[in-house]
Structures are given as C-alpha cells and as structure tokens.
Amino acid sequence: MILDCAIVGGGPAGLTAGLYTTRGGLENVTMYEKGMPGGQITQSSEIENYPGVTGEITGMDLMMPWPEQCQKFGLKHDMVEVTRITKEGDVFTIHKGDGSSDQAHSVIVGTGSSPRRAGFKGEDEFFGKGVSTCATCDGFFYKGKEVAVIGGGDTALEEALYLAKICAKVYLIHRRDTFRAAPNTVKRVENTENIELVVNSTPDEVYGDAMGVTGVRVINTNGETREIEVPGVFTFVGNDVNNQVLIQEDGSFLCDVNEQGQVMVNLSMKTSVPGLFATGDMRVEAPKQVVSAAGDGAVAALSAISYVDELLN
Ligand code: FAD
Ligand code: NAP
C-alpha cells in the first residue's frame, strides 16, 4: 500500500499536519516520530504565548492532548527514526532506522531543530555530567545550588528564570551586553534578585573532576578571566536545523536548502520537489514558535491534500 501522506516529525508542525490531513479526507496517513510526540517545546518549563492559554503551563502540558486529537481522525503513529526520504517517479520512499521502508504519494517534513553546541573546552566531555541543554529535565539536580546559564536569547533567559526558582543563584553568561530575548523577558531577568548578569563574557572552559562539573572559566571582552564555581552549566545558544532526512546517498539534498540548511519553501509550504512539503523550525525564515509551526502544519496539509487529489484523480 502506498500512503497518501507520510509525516516525518511529531512536533507541533507534524501533529497539526496529521490533524489537518486526516480530518481533511486523506485516508492513509502515518506520522513518523522517533520519540514521544510533542517536539522540543515539551522541554520548556513555561509557555505563555500560545493563543488562548492563560494559565501557567509547561510545554508538556500544552502538547499532551495533541496526539490523541489526531488519532481520533485516523492518524497512525510509527515510533521510529526516519533515516532518509527519497523519490523515484511520483513515489516517495521513507527509509526507517529499523531497516524497513514505506512508500507515500506525498511527504510533509517537520523534523524541527536541535540545541547547538557552544564550542567551549569541556562541553562534550562534561555533557550529561553537569553540562545540560534542558533546565526542565536537569534543573532539579541543582536545587539550592548555584548554576550558570550561557546565552542571550529567549531560551536562555526564560530558562534562567525557571532555574532561579529552584537554584540558590544563577549566573547568566552572555557574550554581549544586550540581549536578543523579548524586552519583557529581559526586564523579568533584570528584576530577579538571584540572577547575576555576567555580560561581555564568553565561556572558555567548563572544568571538573570524576564527579562532574566544578566550574566555568569565562573571558571578558576586556581580556580579564573569571572562574565561576558551579556544579551545573546550562547552554542555550541557538539551534541547528534537523535536515538529515533530506540528505541523499550522494550527499546532495532532496530539495533546495539555503546556506544554513533551512529548507526553501513558498507560502504553501511547497519545496522545490513536487509532493514534498516542509514545516516549522526547519524551513526558511521560520519564526520558531509553536503557533507558527502549527500554522505551517495546517498549510502544508491543505497543500498535500490538493497535490494527492490532482495526482490520483
Ligand atoms: P520540533 O518541536 O523540533 O519537533 C520535531 C520533531 O521531529 C521532534 O519530536 C523530533 O523527535 C522529531 N524528529 C526529528 N528528526 C526525526 C527523524 N529523523 N525521524 C523521526 N522523528 C524525527 N516557542 C513558543 O512559541 N513559545 C515558547 O515559549 C517557546 N519556548 C521554548 C523553550 C525551549 C526550551 C525551546 C527549546 C523551544 C521553545 N520554543 C517556544 C520554540 C518551539 O518549541 C519550536 O518553535 C517548535 O517546537 C517547533 O516545532 P516543530 O514541529 O517545527 O519542531
Ligand atoms: P537564539 O535566539 O539564536 O539566541 C542564541 C543566543 O546564544 C544569542 O544570544 C547568541 O549570542 C548566543 N550564542 C550563540 N552562539 C554562542 C556561542 N558559541 N557562545 C556563546 N553564546 C552564543 O536562540 P534561542 O534563544 O534558542 O531561540 C531560538 C528561537 O526560538 C528564537 O527565534 C526565539 O525567539 C524562539 N524562542 C521563542 C520563545 C518565546 O517566544 N517565548 C522562547 C524560546 C525560544 P548573540 O546574541 O551575541 O548572537
């Protein structure tokens, strides 16, 4: 059987695509998600900008009901990693990590993005032993202790605020003295007593011993170094696009991508390959928001429905 639509990735983009394709009449739709559905927002300790959500809720709370809503309309879920998507003639092949493959008339990709490494000494060595990219997952280990947060965007500042509620003190280390984060978030950070801003400072090395991290050395733009003794260092320095599933055997991409690896799409989420749509954080000029990823999923689904309709009728 050839699927009407294969959806790769089960974050806000993929799940919304699943809802709209199935509810919009496509019969055989499978969503491939390598982990639990919900995407990266499930790591967020607080979401306050999803329309209609007024209370204090976590990203996990927000995403919990989405898979069930899709399943109600017939979306199938295959919990597997997709290794590659190829196309021959009008048919796509979804190559899976378990060695098997499926075929589909259309594909919606929403594999999102992943935390970027900051590149300081000790980052890889101590990853999971004091260096973390998830405050919700690991913050509790540092209850009552001091931690450092690296970065100056929305993620770093929001997670610093979260950690400040659990930890004795948070050192927010940023390489400039102005922040990318929303002004309201910056204000909240500045007004939080137990957050110390360490600006114009770049982490040089995270060091420690067999038990894990014991500190981070930062270098100020004026050349001075400072040792900050903390058992936990959280890095939030941006994300890289997860476009690996589009890489072909010869190293080329299945469809057009830009220099940053973001997938080129038009306003209908169509890529340069007919029947292939890209959504959410992985596409060019993505606002990197749950609401826009969900919007992309809906748009891509409507485009896929028209495409399959024309192809088969
Ligand atoms: P993702 O959420 O990244 O989902 C992609 C999914 O694809 C993942 O579940 C992944 O497991 C799966 N996948 C990847 N590769 C494969 C593969 N090869 N095979 C199978 N499955 C695969 N946005 C807001 O609007 N408000 C906020 O307050 C906010 N806070 C944030 C806080 C944090 C800590 C982070 C990290 C992000 C935050 N964001 C926030 C951004 C938001 O989470 C993203 O913009 C959004 O999740 C993007 O959705 P997506 O579906 O494109 O991708
Ligand atoms: P981001 O906006 O790209 O910010 C990354 C931060 O890390 C920047 O301040 C950058 O410094 C710093 N940085 C980058 N590389 C570094 C390095 N090697 N060493 C030290 N510092 C480094 O990433 P993000 O905060 O993860 O946000 C990603 C996207 O998701 C954004 O579009 C954001 O708006 C969105 N998001 C939104 C919300 C929300 O709406 N509430 C929450 C989270 C994320 P410079 O500033 O000097 O470049």
Coordinates of all heavy atoms in Angstrom, one line a residue, residues 162-241:
Y162 N 13.5 30.2 35.1 CA 13.0 28.9 35.7 C 14.0 28.4 36.7 O 13.6 28.0 37.9 CB 12.8 27.9 34.6 CG 12.5 26.5 35.0 CD1 11.2 26.1 35.5 CD2 13.5 25.5 35.0 CE1 11.0 24.8 35.9 CE2 13.2 24.2 35.4 CZ 12.0 23.9 35.8 OH 11.7 22.6 36.3
L163 N 15.3 28.4 36.4 CA 16.3 27.9 37.3 C 16.4 28.7 38.5 O 16.7 28.2 39.6 CB 17.6 27.8 36.6 CG 17.7 26.7 35.5 CD1 18.9 26.9 34.6 CD2 17.8 25.3 36.2
A164 N 16.2 30.0 38.4 CA 16.3 30.9 39.6 C 15.2 30.6 40.7 O 15.4 30.9 41.8 CB 16.1 32.4 39.1
K165 N 14.2 29.9 40.2 CA 13.1 29.5 41.2 C 13.6 28.3 42.0 O 13.1 28.0 43.1 CB 11.8 29.2 40.5 CG 11.1 30.4 40.0 CD 9.7 30.0 39.4 CE 9.3 31.0 38.4 NZ 8.4 30.5 37.4
I166 N 14.5 27.5 41.4 CA 14.9 26.2 42.1 C 16.3 26.4 42.7 O 16.5 25.8 43.8 CB 15.1 25.1 41.0 CG1 13.8 24.9 40.2 CG2 15.5 23.8 41.6 CD1 14.0 24.0 39.0
C167 N 17.1 27.2 42.1 CA 18.6 27.2 42.5 C 18.8 28.4 43.4 O 18.1 29.4 43.4 CB 19.5 27.3 41.3 SG 19.2 25.9 40.1
A168 N 19.9 28.4 44.1 CA 20.3 29.5 45.0 C 20.7 30.7 44.2 O 20.3 31.8 44.6 CB 21.5 29.1 45.9
K169 N 21.4 30.5 43.1 CA 21.8 31.6 42.3 C 22.0 31.2 40.9 O 22.5 30.0 40.6 CB 23.1 32.2 42.9 CG 23.6 33.4 42.1 CD 24.7 34.1 42.9 CE 25.2 35.3 42.0 NZ 26.2 36.1 42.8
V170 N 21.8 32.1 39.9 CA 22.0 31.8 38.5 C 22.9 32.8 37.9 O 22.6 34.0 38.0 CB 20.7 31.8 37.7 CG1 21.0 31.5 36.2 CG2 19.7 30.7 38.2
Y171 N 24.1 32.4 37.4 CA 25.0 33.4 36.7 C 24.6 33.3 35.2 O 24.7 32.2 34.6 CB 26.4 32.9 36.8 CG 26.9 33.0 38.2 CD1 26.8 31.8 39.0 CD2 27.5 34.1 38.8 CE1 27.3 31.9 40.4 CE2 28.0 34.1 40.1 CZ 27.9 33.0 40.8 OH 28.3 33.0 42.1
L172 N 24.1 34.4 34.6 CA 23.7 34.4 33.2 C 24.9 35.0 32.4 O 25.1 36.2 32.5 CB 22.4 35.2 33.0 CG 21.9 35.3 31.6 CD1 21.6 34.0 31.0 CD2 20.7 36.3 31.5
I173 N 25.5 34.1 31.7 CA 26.7 34.5 31.0 C 26.4 34.8 29.5 O 25.8 33.9 28.8 CB 27.8 33.3 31.0 CG1 28.2 33.1 32.5 CG2 29.0 33.7 30.2 CD1 28.9 31.7 32.7
H174 N 26.6 36.0 29.1 CA 26.3 36.3 27.7 C 27.5 37.1 27.0 O 28.1 37.9 27.7 CB 25.0 37.2 27.7 CG 24.6 37.6 26.3 ND1 24.7 36.8 25.2 CD2 24.1 38.8 25.8 CE1 24.3 37.4 24.1 NE2 23.9 38.7 24.5
R175 N 27.7 36.8 25.8 CA 28.9 37.4 25.1 C 28.8 38.9 24.8 O 29.8 39.5 24.4 CB 29.3 36.6 23.9 CG 28.2 36.5 22.8 CD 28.6 35.6 21.7 NE 27.6 35.5 20.7 CZ 27.7 34.7 19.6 NH1 28.7 33.8 19.6 NH2 26.8 34.7 18.7
R176 N 27.6 39.4 24.9 CA 27.4 40.9 24.6 C 26.7 41.5 25.8 O 26.5 40.8 26.8 CB 26.5 41.1 23.4 CG 27.1 40.6 22.1 CD 26.3 40.9 20.9 NE 25.0 40.2 20.9 CZ 23.9 40.8 20.7 NH1 23.8 42.1 20.6 NH2 22.7 40.1 20.7
D177 N 26.4 42.8 25.8 CA 25.7 43.4 26.9 C 24.2 43.7 26.6 O 23.6 44.4 27.3 CB 26.4 44.6 27.5 CG 26.6 45.7 26.6 OD1 26.2 45.6 25.4 OD2 27.1 46.8 27.0
T178 N 23.8 43.3 25.4 CA 22.4 43.5 25.1 C 21.9 42.1 24.7 O 22.7 41.2 24.2 CB 22.1 44.4 23.9 OG1 22.9 44.0 22.8 CG2 22.4 45.9 24.3
F179 N 20.6 41.9 24.9 CA 20.0 40.5 24.7 C 19.1 40.4 23.5 O 18.4 41.4 23.2 CB 19.2 40.1 26.0 CG 20.1 40.0 27.2 CD1 20.3 41.1 28.0 CD2 20.8 38.9 27.4 CE1 21.1 41.0 29.2 CE2 21.6 38.8 28.6 CZ 21.8 39.8 29.4
R180 N 19.0 39.3 22.9 CA 18.1 39.0 21.8 C 16.7 38.7 22.3 O 15.7 38.8 21.6 CB 18.5 37.7 21.1 CG 19.5 37.9 20.0 CD 19.9 36.5 19.4 NE 21.2 36.7 18.8 CZ 21.3 37.1 17.6 NH1 20.3 37.4 16.8 NH2 22.5 37.3 17.1
A181 N 16.6 38.3 23.6 CA 15.3 37.9 24.1 C 14.3 39.1 24.1 O 14.7 40.2 24.1 CB 15.5 37.4 25.6
A182 N 13.0 38.7 24.3 CA 11.9 39.7 24.3 C 12.2 40.7 25.4 O 12.6 40.3 26.5 CB 10.6 39.0 24.4
P183 N 11.9 42.0 25.2 CA 12.2 43.0 26.2 C 11.5 42.7 27.6 O 12.1 42.9 28.6 CB 11.5 44.3 25.6 CG 11.6 44.1 24.2 CD 11.4 42.6 24.0
N184 N 10.3 42.1 27.5 CA 9.6 41.8 28.8 C 10.4 40.7 29.6 O 10.5 40.8 30.8 CB 8.2 41.3 28.4 CG 7.4 41.0 29.7 OD1 7.4 41.7 30.6 ND2 6.7 39.9 29.6
T185 N 10.9 39.8 28.8 CA 11.7 38.7 29.5 C 13.0 39.3 30.1 O 13.4 38.9 31.2 CB 12.0 37.6 28.5 OG1 10.8 37.2 27.8 CG2 12.6 36.4 29.1
V186 N 13.6 40.2 29.3 CA 14.9 40.8 29.8 C 14.6 41.5 31.1 O 15.3 41.4 32.1 CB 15.5 41.8 28.8 CG1 16.7 42.5 29.3 CG2 15.8 41.0 27.5
K187 N 13.4 42.3 31.1 CA 13.1 43.0 32.3 C 12.9 42.1 33.5 O 13.3 42.3 34.6 CB 11.8 43.8 32.1 CG 11.7 45.1 32.8 CD 10.5 45.9 32.5 CE 10.6 46.6 31.2 NZ 9.3 47.2 30.7
R188 N 12.2 40.9 33.3 CA 12.0 40.0 34.4 C 13.3 39.5 34.9 O 13.5 39.3 36.1 CB 11.1 38.8 33.9 CG 9.6 39.2 33.8 CD 8.8 38.1 33.1 NE 8.8 36.8 33.8 CZ 8.6 35.7 33.3 NH1 8.3 35.6 32.0 NH2 8.6 34.6 34.0
V189 N 14.2 39.2 34.0 CA 15.6 38.7 34.5 C 16.3 39.7 35.3 O 16.8 39.5 36.4 CB 16.4 38.3 33.2 CG1 17.9 38.1 33.6 CG2 15.9 37.0 32.6
E190 N 16.2 41.0 34.8 CA 16.9 42.1 35.5 C 16.3 42.3 36.9 O 17.0 42.7 37.8 CB 16.9 43.4 34.7 CG 17.8 43.3 33.5 CD 17.6 44.5 32.5 OE1 16.5 45.2 32.6 OE2 18.4 44.6 31.6
N191 N 15.1 42.0 37.0 CA 14.4 42.2 38.3 C 14.4 41.0 39.2 O 13.8 41.0 40.3 CB 12.9 42.6 38.1 CG 12.8 44.0 37.5 OD1 13.7 44.8 37.6 ND2 11.7 44.2 36.8
T192 N 15.1 39.9 38.8 CA 15.2 38.7 39.6 C 16.5 38.8 40.5 O 17.6 38.8 39.9 CB 15.2 37.5 38.7 OG1 14.0 37.5 38.0 CG2 15.2 36.2 39.6
E193 N 16.3 38.8 41.8 CA 17.4 39.1 42.7 C 18.6 38.1 42.6 O 19.7 38.4 42.6 CB 16.9 39.1 44.1 CG 17.0 40.4 44.8 CD 16.4 40.4 46.1 OE1 16.7 39.5 46.9 OE2 15.6 41.4 46.4
N194 N 18.2 36.8 42.4 CA 19.3 35.8 42.4 C 19.8 35.4 41.0 O 20.4 34.4 40.8 CB 18.9 34.5 43.2 CG 17.7 33.8 42.5 OD1 16.9 34.4 41.8 ND2 17.5 32.5 42.8
I195 N 19.6 36.3 40.0 CA 20.3 36.2 38.8 C 21.3 37.3 38.6 O 21.0 38.4 38.7 CB 19.3 36.3 37.6 CG1 18.2 35.2 37.6 CG2 20.1 36.2 36.2 CD1 17.3 35.2 36.4
E196 N 22.6 36.8 38.5 CA 23.7 37.8 38.2 C 24.0 37.8 36.8 O 24.3 36.7 36.2 CB 24.9 37.4 39.1 CG 26.1 38.4 38.8 CD 27.4 38.0 39.6 OE1 27.3 37.4 40.7 OE2 28.4 38.4 39.0
L197 N 24.0 39.0 36.2 CA 24.4 39.1 34.7 C 25.9 39.1 34.6 O 26.5 40.0 35.2 CB 23.7 40.3 34.1 CG 22.2 40.4 34.2 CD1 21.7 41.6 33.5 CD2 21.6 39.1 33.5
V198 N 26.4 38.2 33.8 CA 27.9 38.2 33.5 C 28.0 38.5 32.0 O 28.0 37.6 31.2 CB 28.5 36.9 33.9 CG1 30.0 36.9 33.7 CG2 28.2 36.5 35.3
V199 N 28.0 39.8 31.7 CA 27.9 40.1 30.2 C 29.3 40.4 29.6 O 30.3 40.4 30.4 CB 26.9 41.4 30.0 CG1 25.5 41.0 30.3 CG2 27.4 42.5 30.8
N200 N 29.3 40.5 28.3 CA 30.5 40.7 27.6 C 31.5 39.6 27.9 O 32.7 39.8 27.9 CB 31.2 42.1 27.9 CG 30.3 43.2 27.3 OD1 29.7 43.1 26.3 ND2 30.2 44.3 28.1
S201 N 31.0 38.4 28.2 CA 31.8 37.3 28.6 C 31.5 36.0 27.8 O 30.4 35.7 27.7 CB 31.6 37.0 30.1 OG 31.9 38.2 30.9
T202 N 32.6 35.4 27.4 CA 32.5 34.2 26.6 C 33.0 33.0 27.4 O 34.1 33.2 28.0 CB 33.3 34.3 25.3 OG1 32.9 35.5 24.7 CG2 33.0 33.1 24.4
P203 N 32.3 31.9 27.5 CA 32.9 30.7 28.2 C 34.1 30.2 27.5 O 34.1 30.0 26.3 CB 31.7 29.7 28.2 CG 30.8 30.1 27.1 CD 31.0 31.6 26.9
D204 N 35.2 30.0 28.3 CA 36.4 29.5 27.7 C 36.5 28.0 28.0 O 36.8 27.2 27.1 CB 37.6 30.2 28.4 CG 38.9 29.6 28.0 OD1 39.1 29.4 26.7 OD2 39.8 29.4 28.8
E205 N 36.2 27.6 29.2 CA 36.3 26.2 29.6 C 35.3 25.8 30.7 O 35.2 26.6 31.7 CB 37.7 25.8 30.0 CG 37.9 24.4 30.4 CD 39.3 24.0 30.6 OE1 40.2 24.9 30.7 OE2 39.6 22.8 30.8
V206 N 34.7 24.7 30.6 CA 34.0 24.1 31.7 C 34.9 23.0 32.3 O 35.4 22.2 31.5 CB 32.6 23.6 31.3 CG1 32.1 22.6 32.4 CG2 31.6 24.7 31.1
Y207 N 35.2 23.0 33.6 CA 36.1 22.0 34.1 C 35.5 21.3 35.3 O 34.4 21.7 35.7 CB 37.4 22.7 34.5 CG 37.2 24.0 35.4 CD1 36.9 23.9 36.7 CD2 37.2 25.2 34.8 CE1 36.7 25.0 37.5 CE2 36.9 26.4 35.5 CZ 36.7 26.3 36.9 OH 36.5 27.4 37.6
G208 N 36.1 20.2 35.7 CA 35.6 19.4 36.8 C 36.4 18.3 37.1 O 37.6 18.3 36.8
D209 N 35.8 17.3 37.7 CA 36.6 16.1 38.1 C 35.7 14.9 37.8 O 34.7 15.0 37.1 CB 36.9 16.1 39.6 CG 35.7 16.4 40.5 OD1 34.6 16.0 40.1 OD2 35.9 17.1 41.6
A210 N 36.1 13.7 38.4 CA 35.3 12.5 38.1 C 33.9 12.6 38.5 O 33.0 11.9 37.9 CB 36.0 11.3 38.8
M211 N 33.5 13.4 39.4 CA 32.1 13.6 39.9 C 31.3 14.5 39.0 O 30.1 14.5 39.1 CB 32.1 14.2 41.3 CG 32.8 13.4 42.4 SD 32.1 11.8 42.6 CE 30.6 12.3 43.5
G212 N 32.0 15.3 38.1 CA 31.2 16.2 37.2 C 31.8 17.6 37.2 O 33.0 17.8 37.7
V213 N 31.0 18.5 36.8 CA 31.5 19.9 36.6 C 31.7 20.5 38.0 O 30.9 20.3 38.9 CB 30.4 20.7 35.9 CG1 30.6 22.2 35.9 CG2 30.3 20.3 34.4
T214 N 32.8 21.3 38.1 CA 33.0 22.1 39.3 C 33.0 23.6 39.0 O 32.9 24.4 39.9 CB 34.3 21.7 40.0 OG1 35.4 21.9 39.0 CG2 34.3 20.3 40.6
G215 N 33.2 24.0 37.7 CA 33.2 25.4 37.4 C 33.3 25.8 36.0 O 33.5 24.9 35.1
V216 N 33.1 27.0 35.7 CA 33.3 27.5 34.3 C 34.2 28.8 34.3 O 34.1 29.6 35.2 CB 31.9 27.8 33.6 CG1 31.0 28.7 34.5 CG2 32.1 28.4 32.2
R217 N 35.1 28.8 33.4 CA 36.0 30.0 33.3 C 35.5 30.8 32.1 O 35.3 30.3 31.0 CB 37.5 29.5 33.0 CG 38.4 30.7 32.9 CD 39.9 30.3 32.6 NE 40.3 29.2 33.4 CZ 40.4 27.9 32.8 NH1 40.3 27.7 31.6 NH2 40.8 26.9 33.6
V218 N 35.3 32.1 32.3 CA 34.8 33.0 31.3 C 35.9 34.1 31.0 O 36.6 34.5 31.9 CB 33.5 33.6 31.6 CG1 32.4 32.6 31.8 CG2 33.5 34.5 32.8
I219 N 35.9 34.5 29.8 CA 36.8 35.6 29.4 C 36.0 36.8 29.0 O 35.1 36.7 28.1 CB 37.8 35.2 28.2 CG1 38.5 33.9 28.6 CG2 38.7 36.3 27.9 CD1 39.5 33.4 27.5
N220 N 36.3 37.9 29.7 CA 35.6 39.2 29.4 C 36.2 39.8 28.1 O 37.4 39.6 27.8 CB 35.7 40.1 30.6 CG 34.8 41.3 30.5 OD1 35.0 42.2 29.7 ND2 33.7 41.2 31.2
T221 N 35.4 40.7 27.4 CA 35.9 41.3 26.2 C 37.1 42.2 26.6 O 37.9 42.5 25.7 CB 34.8 42.2 25.5 OG1 34.1 42.9 26.5 CG2 33.9 41.3 24.7
N222 N 37.2 42.6 27.9 CA 38.4 43.4 28.3 C 39.6 42.6 28.6 O 40.7 43.1 29.0 CB 38.1 44.4 29.5 CG 37.8 43.6 30.7 OD1 38.1 42.4 30.8 ND2 37.2 44.2 31.7
G223 N 39.5 41.3 28.3 CA 40.6 40.3 28.5 C 40.7 39.7 29.9 O 41.5 38.7 30.0
E224 N 40.0 40.2 30.8 CA 40.0 39.6 32.2 C 39.3 38.2 32.2 O 38.3 38.0 31.5 CB 39.3 40.4 33.2 CG 40.1 41.6 33.6 CD 39.3 42.6 34.5 OE1 38.2 42.2 35.0 OE2 39.8 43.7 34.7
T225 N 39.9 37.3 33.0 CA 39.2 36.0 33.1 C 38.6 35.9 34.5 O 39.0 36.6 35.5 CB 40.2 34.8 33.0 OG1 41.2 34.9 33.9 CG2 40.8 34.7 31.6
R226 N 37.5 35.1 34.6 CA 36.8 34.9 35.9 C 36.4 33.4 36.0 O 36.0 32.8 35.1 CB 35.6 35.8 35.9 CG 34.7 35.6 37.2 CD 33.6 36.6 37.2 NE 32.7 36.3 38.3 CZ 31.5 36.8 38.5 NH1 31.0 37.7 37.7 NH2 30.8 36.5 39.6
E227 N 36.7 32.9 37.2 CA 36.3 31.5 37.5 C 35.0 31.5 38.2 O 34.9 32.2 39.3 CB 37.3 30.8 38.3 CG 38.7 30.9 37.9 CD 39.2 29.8 37.0 OE1 38.6 28.8 36.9 OE2 40.2 30.0 36.3
I228 N 33.9 30.9 37.7 CA 32.7 30.8 38.4 C 32.5 29.4 38.9 O 32.4 28.4 38.0 CB 31.5 31.3 37.5 CG1 31.8 32.7 37.0 CG2 30.2 31.2 38.2 CD1 30.8 33.2 36.0
E229 N 32.4 29.2 40.2 CA 32.4 27.8 40.7 C 30.9 27.3 40.8 O 30.1 27.8 41.7 CB 33.0 27.7 42.1 CG 34.6 27.8 41.9 CD 35.3 27.8 43.2 OE1 34.7 27.4 44.3 OE2 36.5 28.2 43.2
V230 N 30.5 26.5 39.9 CA 29.2 25.9 39.8 C 29.2 24.4 39.4 O 30.1 24.1 38.7 CB 28.3 26.7 38.8 CG1 27.8 28.0 39.3 CG2 29.0 26.8 37.5
P231 N 28.3 23.7 39.9 CA 28.2 22.2 39.5 C 27.4 22.0 38.3 O 27.4 20.9 37.7 CB 27.6 21.6 40.7 CG 26.7 22.6 41.3 CD 27.3 23.9 41.0
G232 N 26.7 23.1 37.8 CA 25.8 22.9 36.6 C 26.0 24.0 35.7 O 26.0 25.2 36.1
V233 N 26.1 23.7 34.4 CA 26.2 24.7 33.3 C 25.2 24.4 32.2 O 25.2 23.3 31.6 CB 27.6 24.8 32.7 CG1 27.7 25.8 31.6 CG2 28.6 25.1 33.8
F234 N 24.2 25.3 32.0 CA 23.2 25.1 31.0 C 23.5 26.0 29.8 O 23.6 27.2 29.9 CB 21.8 25.5 31.6 CG 21.4 24.5 32.7 CD1 21.8 24.7 34.0 CD2 20.5 23.5 32.4 CE1 21.4 23.7 35.0 CE2 20.1 22.6 33.3 CZ 20.5 22.7 34.6
T235 N 23.5 25.4 28.6 CA 23.8 26.2 27.4 C 22.6 26.3 26.5 O 21.9 25.3 26.2 CB 25.0 25.5 26.6 OG1 24.6 24.2 26.2 CG2 26.3 25.4 27.4
F236 N 22.3 27.5 26.2 CA 21.1 27.8 25.3 C 21.6 28.8 24.2 O 21.3 30.0 24.3 CB 20.0 28.3 26.1 CG 19.5 27.5 27.2 CD1 19.8 27.8 28.5 CD2 18.8 26.3 26.9 CE1 19.4 27.0 29.6 CE2 18.4 25.5 28.0 CZ 18.7 25.8 29.3
V237 N 22.3 28.3 23.2 CA 23.0 29.2 22.3 C 22.4 29.0 20.8 O 23.1 29.2 19.9 CB 24.5 29.0 22.3 CG1 25.1 29.4 23.6 CG2 24.9 27.6 21.9
G238 N 21.2 28.6 20.8 CA 20.5 28.5 19.5 C 20.4 27.1 19.0 O 20.7 26.1 19.8
N239 N 19.9 26.9 17.8 CA 19.5 25.6 17.3 C 20.0 25.4 15.9 O 20.1 26.3 15.1 CB 18.0 25.4 17.3 CG 17.4 25.3 18.7 OD1 17.6 24.3 19.4 ND2 16.8 26.4 19.2
D240 N 20.3 24.1 15.6 CA 20.6 23.7 14.2 C 19.4 23.0 13.6 O 18.8 22.2 14.3 CB 21.8 22.8 14.2 CG 23.1 23.6 14.5 OD1 23.2 24.8 14.0 OD2 23.9 23.1 15.2
V241 N 19.2 23.2 12.3 CA 18.1 22.6 11.6 C 18.3 21.1 11.5 O 19.4 20.7 11.1 CB 17.9 23.2 10.2 CG1 16.9 22.5 9.4 CG2 17.6 24.7 10.4

